[in-house]
């Protein structure tokens, strides 16, 4: 029973035929996951671009003034007289209104997400890294916010401070920062426990330097993907506020207000409320898919790792 | 060697009465250690004996509950962070986990250059040049400087960790199970590197390990621990050849050296290692 | 006599994000009753993947396994190849073949007592037993693996036991299935050195008493030397050297084996 087998060269994909057929490879979880991520990114990107690009180009596109009324052409159906989306109850071109409303909605959404992302990231890093009373205060604040009936609180703030764009932005940012905060905090807690942080301490780096140079760069990427998902939520919130009459003041057209104005005519002129609604759906679905796909592709947070992949990583290392 | 400096010289590292408690649990209980300049001391014991806690105290990742840690006569055990900073450079650690001990988003060059920046050495270009030199010192090519930790194997990562420690220009290196996560052939290469450093640089070493073979290769003195206390000390060769304490004897018997085992499935080879093996 | 397990031409390919990796490239081995066959190799050599493929535990879809894995658990029945008849795996696993996992700390459910988990394994094997019979049998098994005061440990939760004790409990659970073949994947590498000796002693004792066959996976040459009859040295998915343990360790033929043996830090004074 003592036979010495011939030593084979390291190129293991040599003489033996591979049993992996293209069909088997296509069905493997690794390929399926990669394909799903690719599809999500493509569909999400196209949906988002369909909304965002026209909104960005609204001022250069040959469109009528969104606020120009023409009472002789009220509630025209879509695709009549050169009105792609039709006209509203005051004869204004609906497409122009949706696009200019989109400018307001997107601006508010992006600003709000930037502010909430920044607040969440900074507080999350401080709370996770410093711990102690900083963590206690920030976490209680986040919990308090989560405990309040959100929409009621936002309406109250708008009622008190008026409905200018800065106020709406601030209100949405307040609504969203705990999401970013909690994620960042948990990511920082994980990073803080890793030996490379200990190594940085033994080198004599100060706490702030460790936080900025080692912790933040390692949590920014996963945290920023969540911020993208929040963008859709911010646009929805803004629309909800506008719909309830607490959005940016007139004459700004916003998506929520167009829907709210149009609902009176839903039985006779369905497009006034429905088309802006569909635009909102398109953007929200698109941004969510995009964010989801990007997260899947970047290795994701908490994606299960399994035996096979670990083994191959080691195999590569052992040969090097 | 450590004994040649004579009795009058101050030891490089002198630990007295080191005690660490976590709540009710005493992890380290009145431990005394001493290493001379250029010497190497092993701290061995089973898991949970407190040896890693000692390592973390020496580099002051933990502030000990009581006791003194004197580096060339200066007690650093209770120094606040700000006063400790000038001393941190002198005592560096090689960590156990080759995967977690390097910041994943930095390149190897930046990782090794960081201690130079902390010491305020040179401009950016100068530091990069010295980082490449240090990588070369631990046996990595210059091209390694531009790569990230995930592109290296476990052994190569440990080399980067060693280069980072050397960049601080330390006087004492603490190796906390520095090779236990590595494959045996890679471990042998890293041990060669550590031995080479001992010979060429005159660094003082404190080696935390459970593998007696590793300890035998790179240390001259040994401290055996059990339940937070020191149970036996002496020259490494003497202690391993004729262990006197029961804990050391059991550790010695449990270390399975393939060269010493003979016969077919010899249960007897385990006799000294299994408590109550009389059955 | 037919071996309990016979593996021939085993090939495992893993389909990953970066393409197909051949983890195991045509290996063959056999394990008879009372024998210990050891796969030794460094990380990434494919030794664990081989064991998992033998047990049919690789994730389907990701791993493509070909070759022959033939079990002859019941000496009277004809041997069955589990790669061509995957349904036979269920009958083989648990009753004929058991796995001792690598990390005892995570292999038990933290919210169930030792007794309930061991009891469950006993009930699977002998469904007719009453509660007290199961308890008696379980305590007997714990006693066999030298768990001190088994009556008390029966009530304990996994976190109340040390790593070595948990590994003993896990061995007791595998014994509940009255297996004829044990697959032990690095059974002691998560444990302390002094505890490792006790577990190895237990495995040797079990084999002496019950004549169980064992397929052991390890990276530790000392462990392999102590408990094996035959060794396969594995590297990059192939067996570099195979043979009787004394011959492989004492008189290695391949350069790789020689390098591996030379790399073990010696306790003797010669190299210090």
């Amino acid at each position: 029973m003592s036979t010495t087998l011939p030593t084979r060269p390291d190129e293991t994909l040599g003489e033996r035929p591979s049993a992996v057929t293209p069909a088997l490879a296509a069905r493997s979880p690794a390929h399926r996951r990669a394909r799903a991520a690719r599809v999500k990114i493509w569909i999400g990107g196209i949906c988002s671009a369909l909304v965002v690009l026209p909104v960005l180009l609204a001022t250069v596109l040959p469109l009528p003034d969104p606020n120009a009324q023409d009472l002789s052409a009220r509630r025209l159906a879509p695709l009549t007289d050169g009105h792609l989306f039709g006209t509203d109850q005051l004869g204004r071109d609906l497409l122009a209104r949706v696009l200019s409303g989109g400018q307001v909605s997107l601006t508010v959404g992006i600003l709000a997400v930037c502010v909430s992302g920044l607040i969440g990231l900074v507080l999350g890093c401080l709370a996770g890294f410093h711990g102690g009373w900083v963590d206690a205060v920030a976490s209680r604040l986040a919990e308090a916010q989560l405990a309040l009936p959100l929409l009621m609180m936002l309406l109250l703030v708008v009622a008190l401070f008026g409905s200018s764009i800065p106020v709406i932005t601030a209100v949405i940012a307040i609504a969203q920062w705990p999401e970013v905060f909690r994620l960042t905090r948990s990511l920082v807690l994980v990073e803080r426990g890793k030996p490379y942080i200990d190594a940085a301490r033994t080198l004599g780096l100060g706490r702030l330097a460790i936080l900025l140079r080692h912790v933040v760069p390692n949590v920014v990427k996963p945290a920023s993907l969540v911020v993208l998902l929040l963008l859709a939520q911010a646009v929805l919130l803004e629309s909800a506020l506008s719909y309830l009459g607490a959005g940016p003041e007139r004459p700004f057209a916003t998506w929520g207000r167009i829907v709210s104005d149009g609902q009176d005519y839903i039985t006779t002129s369905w497009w006034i409320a429905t088309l802006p609604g569909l635009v909102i759906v398109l953007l929200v679905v698109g941004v969510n898919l995009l964010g989801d796909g990007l997260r899947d592709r970047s290795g994701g947070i908490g994606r299960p790792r399994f035996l096979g992949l670990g083994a191959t990583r080691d195999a590569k290392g052992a040969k090097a | 060697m450590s004994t040649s400096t004579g009795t009058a010289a101050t030891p490089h590292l002198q630990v007295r009465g080191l005690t660490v408690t976590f709540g009710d649990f005493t992890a380290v209980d009145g431990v005394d250690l001493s290493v001379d300049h250029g010497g190497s001391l092993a701290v061995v014991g089973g898991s949970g004996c407190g040896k890693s806690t000692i390592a973390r105290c020496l580099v002051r990742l933990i502030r000990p509950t009581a006791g003194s840690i004197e580096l060339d006569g200066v007690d650093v055990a209770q120094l606040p962070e700000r006063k400790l900073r000038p001393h941190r450079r002198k005592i560096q650690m090689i960590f156990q986990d080759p995967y977690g001990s390097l910041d994943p988003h930095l390149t190897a060059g930046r990782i090794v250059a960081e201690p130079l920046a902390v010491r305020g050495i040179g401009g950016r270009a100068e530091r990069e040049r010295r980082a490449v030199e240090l990588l070369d010192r631990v046996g990595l090519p210059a091209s390694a400087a531009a790569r990230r930790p995930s592109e290296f194997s476990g052994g190569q990562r440990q080399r980067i960790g060693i280069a980072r420690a050397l960049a601080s220009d330390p006087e004492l290196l603490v190796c906390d199970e520095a090779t236990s996560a590595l494959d045996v052939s890679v471990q042998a290469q890293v041990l060669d590197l550590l031995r080479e450093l001992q010979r060429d640089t005159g660094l003082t070493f404190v080696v935390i390990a459970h593998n007696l073979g590793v300890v035998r290769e790179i240390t001259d003195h040994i401290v055996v621990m059990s339940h937070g206390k020191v149970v036996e000390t002496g020259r490494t060769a003497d202690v391993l050849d004729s262990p006197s304490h029961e804990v050391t004897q059991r550790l010695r018997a449990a270390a399975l050296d393939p060269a010493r085992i003979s016969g077919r499935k010899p249960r007897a080879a385990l006799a000294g290692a299994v408590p109550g093996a009389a059955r | 006599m037919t071996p309990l397990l016979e593996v021939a031409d085993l090939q495992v390919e893993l389909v990953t994000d970066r393409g197909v990796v051949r983890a195991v490239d045509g290996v063959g081995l056999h394990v008879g009753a009372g024998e210990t066959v050891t796969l030794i190799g460094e990380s990434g050599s494919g030794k664990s993947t081989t064991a998992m493929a033998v047990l049919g535990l690789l994730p389907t879809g990701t791993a493509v396994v070909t070759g022959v894995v033939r079990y002859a658990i019941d000496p009277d029945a004809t041997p069955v190849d589990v790669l061509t008849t995957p349904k036979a795996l269920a009958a083989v696993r648990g009753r004929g073949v058991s796995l001792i996992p690598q990390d005892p700390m995570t292999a038990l459910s933290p919210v169930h007592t030792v007794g309930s988990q061991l009891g469950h394994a006993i009930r699977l094997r002998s469904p007719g037993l009453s509660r007290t019979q199961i308890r008696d049998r379980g305590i007997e098994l714990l006693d066999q693996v030298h768990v001190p005061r088994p009556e008390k440990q029966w009530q304990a939760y996994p976190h109340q036991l040390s790593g070595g004790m948990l590994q003993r409990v896990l061995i007791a659970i595998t014994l509940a299935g009255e297996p004829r073949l044990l697959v032990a994947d690095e059974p002691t590498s998560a444990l302390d050195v002094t505890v490792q000796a006790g577990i190895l002693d237990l495995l040797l004792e079990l084999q002496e008493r019950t004549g169980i066959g064992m397929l052991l996976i390890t990276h530790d040459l000392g462990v392999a030397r102590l408990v094996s009859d035959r060794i396969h040295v594995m590297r990059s998915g192939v067996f570099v050297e195979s043979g009787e343990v004394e011959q492989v360790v004492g008189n290695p033929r391949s350069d790789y084996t020689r390098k591996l043996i030379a790399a073990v830090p010696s306790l003797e004074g010669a190299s210090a």
Side-chain angles (χ1 to χ4, degrees):
Chain A
M1 221 3 263
S2 47
T3 45
T4 310
L5 294 170
T7 316
R8 242 182 259 270
D10 265 0
E11 291 76 33
T12 46
L13 286 178
E15 34 203 287
R16 288 175 159 273
S18 174
V20 181
T21 59
L24 275 176
R27 263 188 286 140
S28 80
H31 282 248
R32 268 205 301 246
R33 218 170 26 233
R35 203 164 46 227
R38 209 162 43 232
V39 168
K40 278 184 195 166
I41 290 173
W42 269 103
I43 295 181
I46 289 170
C47 289
S48 314
L50 271 179
V51 178
V52 173
L53 283 182
V55 166
L56 286 180
L57 300 173
T59 45
V60 292
L61 287 176
L63 287 169
D65 182 346
N67 295 321
Q69 304 180 3
D70 179 0
L71 295 180
S72 63
R74 282 180 297 161
R75 294 196 268 135
L76 289 180
L79 298 174
T80 41
D81 292 348
H83 297 291
L84 197 59
F85 276 20
T87 57
D88 70 358
Q89 69 279 12
L90 296 174
R92 295 173 291 197
D93 181 63
L94 195 57
L95 179 62
R97 282 187 68 73
V98 166
L99 294 191
S100 77
Q103 286 183 328
V104 178
S105 295
L106 274 184
T107 312
V108 170
I110 290 171
L111 273 179
V113 160
C114 289
V115 173
S116 65
L118 202 67
I119 297 176
L121 205 63
V122 169
L123 283 183
C125 282
L126 288 178
F129 194 66
H130 196 276
W133 64 268
V134 180
D135 188 21
V137 170
S139 295
R140 291 304 88 74
L141 270 178
E143 279 163 23
Q145 196 269 37
L146 289 170
L148 288 173
L150 190 66
L151 211 52
M152 293 294 284
M153 188 190 78
L154 300 187
L155 286 173
L156 187 71
V157 173
V158 173
L160 282 174
F161 297 102
S163 54
S164 63
I165 286 185
V167 171
I168 302 282
T169 305
V171 155
I172 296 176
I174 290 169
Q176 293 193 322
W177 73 271
E179 291 272 344
V180 187
F181 166 78
R182 281 189 304 176
L183 179 74
T184 311
R185 178 175 170 274
S186 63
L187 287 170
V188 168
L189 281 177
V190 171
E191 291 302 315
R192 194 182 68 168
K194 291 189 178 167
Y196 72 84
I197 300 297
D198 288 342
R201 278 178 65 196
T202 62
L203 293 179
L205 246 66
R207 296 179 65 84
L208 192 64
I210 293 177
L211 181 63
L212 291 179
R213 256 191 262 174
H214 293 290
V215 179
V216 173
N218 282 305
V219 301
V220 154
K221 202 179 158 198
S224 60
L225 284 174
V226 170
V227 170
L228 190 62
L229 294 178
L230 284 183
L231 177 63
Q233 207 195 339
V235 170
L236 267 184
L237 255 183
E238 193 277 335
S239 300
L241 284 176
S242 297
Y243 177 82
L244 293 171
E249 282 159 35
R250 289 170 208 270
F252 289 128
T254 73
W255 286 343
R257 174 143 350 95
I258 301 172
V259 173
S260 126
D261 289 351
Q263 67 178 345
D264 298 339
Y265 305 94
I266 192 81
T267 46
T268 49
S269 317
W270 56 269
W271 59 89
I272 304 180
T274 312
L275 289 179
L278 283 178
V279 169
I280 298 175
V281 169
L282 202 62
L283 180 74
V284 170
V285 168
V287 169
N288 272 323
L289 278 177
L290 191 64
D292 224 27
L294 285 175
R295 189 177 54 188
D296 287 355
R297 202 179 58 176
S298 71
I301 309 152
R303 201 178 81 189
R305 301 212 160 267
F306 58 93
L307 188 110
L309 286 174
T312 55
R313 185 201 62 200
D314 286 344
K316 236 175 59 192
K319 271 178 225 158
Chain B
M1 289 307 284
S2 55
T3 44
S4 63
T5 42
T7 44
T10 342
H12 193 176
L13 173 74
Q14 174 94 54
V15 173
R16 287 201 193 90
L18 189 71
T19 303
V20 183
T21 56
F22 301 111
D24 299 336
F25 175 66
T26 306
V28 179
D29 191 0
V31 166
D32 299 333
L33 305 171
S34 148
V35 204
D36 290 336
H37 285 269
S40 55
L41 176 77
V43 181
V44 301
S47 61
C49 73
K51 57 188 193 298
S52 274
T53 308
I54 292 182
R56 294 176 75 78
C57 281
L58 292 182
V59 293
R60 273 298 305 276
L61 287 170
I62 299 175
R63 186 189 284 222
T65 315
S68 66
I69 301 172
E70 287 177 20
L71 266 179
D72 280 321
V74 182
D75 186 1
V76 297
Q78 300 297 337
L79 284 185
E81 190 65 37
R82 194 165 304 167
K83 287 189 180 160
L84 184 66
R85 204 155 288 160
H87 298 284
R88 283 224 183 254
R89 173 190 70 76
K90 300 180 199 164
I91 174 160
Q92 287 295 308
M93 178 134 120
I94 315 291
F95 292 83
Q96 171 174 17
D97 173 13
Y99 293 93
S101 57
L102 305 176
D103 187 338
H105 93 284
L106 292 179
T107 61
R110 293 278 303 281
I111 289 170
V112 177
E114 183 162 43
L116 301 170
V118 173
R119 286 162 62 199
I121 285 180
R124 206 181 161 132
E126 162 73 4
R127 288 200 292 267
E128 271 170 25
R129 194 183 58 74
R130 294 190 54 171
V132 171
E133 276 176 22
L134 283 161
L135 287 171
D136 179 59
R137 178 79 194 78
V138 297
L140 289 173
S143 61
R147 293 192 277 151
R148 287 175 208 281
S150 58
E151 298 172 59
F152 293 98
S153 68
Q156 289 171 325
R157 288 180 212 209
Q158 280 314 61
R159 286 172 192 270
I160 297 171
I162 293 170
R164 171 177 59 192
L166 293 179
S168 280
D169 190 23
E171 296 159 8
L172 196 153
L173 271 188
V174 180
C175 304
D176 182 13
E177 297 278 13
T179 62
S180 64
L182 303 176
D183 275 328
V184 55
S185 63
V186 181
Q187 164 173 287
Q189 293 162 11
V190 173
L191 288 178
D192 280 344
L193 173 64
L194 291 177
R195 245 197 320 258
E196 198 185 306
L197 287 176
Q198 283 178 332
R199 201 177 54 227
D200 301 348
T201 61
L203 279 172
T204 307
F205 276 72
V206 175
V207 178
I208 314 292
H210 70 270
N211 185 328
L212 297 184
V214 166
V215 158
R216 174 120 203 180
E217 297 220 345
I218 58 172
T219 65
D220 48 47
H221 282 74
I222 192 169
V223 166
V224 183
M225 291 190 60
S226 177
H227 296 100
K229 291 198 168 92
V230 173
V231 295
E232 186 167 359
T233 65
R235 293 187 62 83
T236 306
D238 300 343
V239 171
L240 293 188
D241 287 343
S242 49
S244 60
H245 193 275
E246 185 208 338
V247 170
T248 323
Q249 284 162 355
R250 199 179 303 156
L251 276 172
R252 179 77 172 77
L256 299 171
D257 186 344
R260 286 191 306 130
I261 303 170
S262 62
R264 187 177 168 278
K265 299 195 205 169
R267 272 183 76 190
L270 292 168
V274 184
R279 0 164 237 283
Chain C
M1 191 182 138
T2 30
L4 293 170
L5 167 69
E6 195 174 353
V7 176
D9 248 358
L10 183 73
Q11 172 176 315
V12 181
E13 285 165 306
L14 304 171
V15 186
T16 69
D17 295 335
R18 304 223 188 106
V20 178
V21 178
R22 186 167 299 174
V24 180
D25 190 11
V27 302
L29 58 92
H30 60 91
V31 187
E35 275 187 330
T36 304
V37 175
T38 298
L39 304 186
I40 185 165
E42 302 197 297
S43 52
S45 61
K47 56 189 192 303
S48 276
T49 313
T50 305
M52 293 301 123
V54 164
L55 288 169
L57 289 177
L58 289 172
T60 45
T62 297
V64 180
V65 185
T66 54
V68 177
V69 177
R70 195 181 292 128
Y71 284 101
I73 297 305
D74 185 350
D76 304 325
T78 47
V80 55
D81 184 347
V82 294
L83 290 186
T84 50
T85 46
K87 280 184 188 152
L89 260 180
V92 166
R93 283 198 299 230
R95 302 192 75 121
V97 184
S98 292
L99 172 72
I100 302 177
Q102 180 166 3
D103 186 359
M105 282 71 156
T106 54
L108 285 170
S109 159
V111 295
H112 295 101
T113 59
V114 164
S116 81
Q117 297 182 62
L118 179 51
H120 189 67
I122 296 168
R123 202 171 301 121
L124 275 178
R125 176 70 194 186
S126 341
L129 293 184
S130 71
R131 283 175 80 93
T132 45
Q133 280 172 315
I134 285 175
R135 195 186 138 89
D136 291 346
R137 171 85 178 117
I139 287 171
E140 185 192 326
L141 283 170
L142 288 178
D143 193 45
Q144 271 181 32
V145 296
H146 307 300
V147 169
R149 287 170 297 145
E151 296 83 7
K152 191 160 167 264
Q153 310 302 355
W154 183 261
Q155 321 277 354
Y157 284 91
H159 71 264
Q160 294 167 312
L161 301 180
S162 69
M165 275 310 136
L166 286 178
Q167 194 60 294
R168 285 174 193 272
V169 169
L170 280 164
I171 294 175
I173 289 176
T174 61
L175 292 181
E178 293 164 27
R180 299 202 54 217
L181 178 70
L182 273 184
V183 177
D185 184 7
E186 302 269 13
T188 58
S189 50
L191 304 175
D192 201 40
V193 270
T194 48
V195 179
Q196 159 174 299
I199 297 293
L200 294 176
D201 188 61
L202 172 65
L203 291 177
L204 284 171
E205 182 197 332
L206 282 174
Q207 199 168 43
E208 274 174 22
R209 211 179 54 221
T210 62
I212 208 166
M214 212 173 336
L215 178 63
L216 176 77
I217 315 297
T218 184
H219 67 277
D220 189 321
L221 215 72
V223 171
R225 175 64 189 88
L226 184 78
V227 301
S228 317
D229 291 294
R230 264 174 290 125
I231 289 192
H232 299 278
V233 182
M234 199 165 182
R235 185 196 192 190
S236 308
V238 297
F239 289 166
V240 174
E241 183 165 357
S242 306
E244 299 288 333
V245 62
E246 279 165 83
Q247 182 249 315
V248 172
V249 177
N251 186 20
R253 295 191 205 177
S254 107
D255 287 342
Y256 179 69
T257 316
R258 266 195 286 273
K259 204 184 106 201
L260 212 57
I261 293 171
V264 178
S266 174
L267 269 171
E268 307 302 330
S271 63

